[in-house]
Amino acid sequence: MSDSLPVCEIFSSIQGEGYLAGRRQIFIRLTECNLDCSYCDTDFSVKTYCQAESAPGSTEFEPIRQPVTLQTLLGLLANWTADMPGAHHSVSFTGGEPLLSADILALWFPAIRRILPIHLETNGTLHAALAQVVDHLDFISMDMKLPSTAGLSEQLWDMHRLFLHTASTTDVSVKIVVGDRTPAGEILHVCDLISKVNSSIPLFLQPMTLPGGECGISARHLLQLQAQAAQQLPDVRVIPQMHRLMGVL
Ligand code: SF4
């Protein structure tokens, strides 16, 4: 089997969402997704070249021919961690949906993990693919897609339940994007699902960001939803997309 993958971008920045918010990571953005969320701003077109920062945090990019090999990626990670010892907390695989590439990631992760811990950002729907790689992961940030904000035609609750069961063998947290139309019933559904797996799993409420950049939920409604969740779970936090506030990638 090839050990190469199409990669959209490789860059160094501050994690702006969820459990690892504030940690500096090396982000590896993969190109495909199995969902079509209404608020998605990801460009899914597969480019001829992966864009990789020429130096970590430089915001200047240079092309790497696709598909990116494990050897190329390991060389880049080794250089960046040698140039900036201790600066990076972990490597974050994001998308798109990285688990669409689980076959290759199962080959990549053991070698990458010898350099830095691995964080997976996922839409939480592909539990069989997660089972292929979960033993190599240090952190999982799992989205649960709410009908009120993701605007998907399909209900994903059963997929999220199966996924969370598999993810619960490692350090998993759950993120939901909430907006003015998010009803209490959806929050209770999320809390019930988490409670049945492990009620100590942290839940992050992330205010929806509208296309113009404004917040898509009133403070009053946000606080109501937080209070409802906090009645069900001990670790509920509200964090907006901080990388937008910082103006980083
Ligand atoms: S899961 Fe993420 S990448 Fe995929 S469509 Fe939804 S927002 Fe976009």
Side-chain angles (χ1 to χ4, degrees), residues 164 174 190-199 201 203 233:
L164 191 57
V174 173
V190 169
C191 292
D192 183 57
L193 211 151
I194 293 173
S195 299
K196 285 184 171 144
V197 176
N198 180 348
S199 62
I201 292 171
L203 172 64
L233 296 172

Side-chain angles (χ1 to χ4, degrees), residues 207-237:
M208 187 175 182
T209 304
L210 297 176
E214 326 79 87
C215 183
I217 183 169
S218 69
R220 179 190 170 94
H221 191 50
L222 180 61
L223 292 174
Q224 285 171 342
L225 297 181
Q226 181 276 339
Q228 277 151 354
Q231 281 181 13
Q232 312 295 320
L233 296 172
D235 191 354
V236 176
R237 308 179 218 179

Side-chain angles (χ1 to χ4, degrees), residues 18-202:
Y19 186 63
L20 296 181
R23 298 285 194 184
R24 186 164 181 177
Q25 297 183 310
I26 297 172
F27 291 84
I28 299 174
R29 186 182 300 286
L30 303 184
T31 53
E32 299 175 288
C33 191
N34 57 323
L35 299 182
D36 184 19
C37 305
S38 57
Y39 48 70
C40 186
D41 58 3
T42 303
D43 176 6
F44 293 117
S45 57
V46 178
K47 307 281 191 305
T48 312
Y49 293 95
C50 162
Q51 296 298 322
E53 270 187 312
S54 50
S58 67
T59 68
E60 290 177 3
F61 288 80
E62 56 190 28
I64 298 176
R65 184 167 282 284
Q66 302 277 29
V68 175
T69 66
L70 176 59
Q71 190 181 13
T72 299
L73 184 58
L74 291 176
L76 183 148
L77 294 176
N79 288 341
W80 285 14
T81 51
D83 288 349
M84 304 184 80
H88 295 102
H89 171 268
S90 42
V91 177
S92 189
F93 279 82
T94 188
E97 173 48 60
L99 288 174
L100 289 171
S101 306
D103 287 352
I104 305 293
L105 294 179
L107 301 175
W108 279 21
F109 283 169
I112 293 171
R113 204 182 191 194
R114 286 195 278 275
I115 300 175
L116 282 171
I118 298 181
H119 173 223
L120 176 72
E121 298 189 76
T122 169
N123 62 34
T125 56
L126 302 174
H127 73 95
L130 175 65
Q132 290 180 253
V133 298
V134 69
D135 290 345
H136 307 301
L137 295 172
D138 297 283
F139 306 96
I140 300 176
S141 296
M142 171 192 174
D143 275 11
M144 283 193 191
K145 300 295 183 183
L146 302 186
S148 61
T149 52
L152 299 165
S153 53
E154 188 187 1
Q155 297 262 341
L156 302 176
W157 299 119
D158 283 344
M159 296 164 94
H160 286 327
R161 180 174 50 78
L162 291 168
F163 190 96
L164 191 57
H165 268 286
T166 305
S168 65
T169 59
T170 189
D171 199 342
V172 61
S173 56
V174 173
K175 183 192 84 189
I176 53 175
V177 175
V178 294
D180 270 328
R181 292 189 189 164
T182 301
E186 287 184 2
I187 300 298
L188 295 176
H189 208 123
V190 169
C191 292
D192 183 57
L193 211 151
I194 293 173
S195 299
K196 285 184 171 144
V197 176
N198 180 348
S199 62
S200 65
I201 292 171

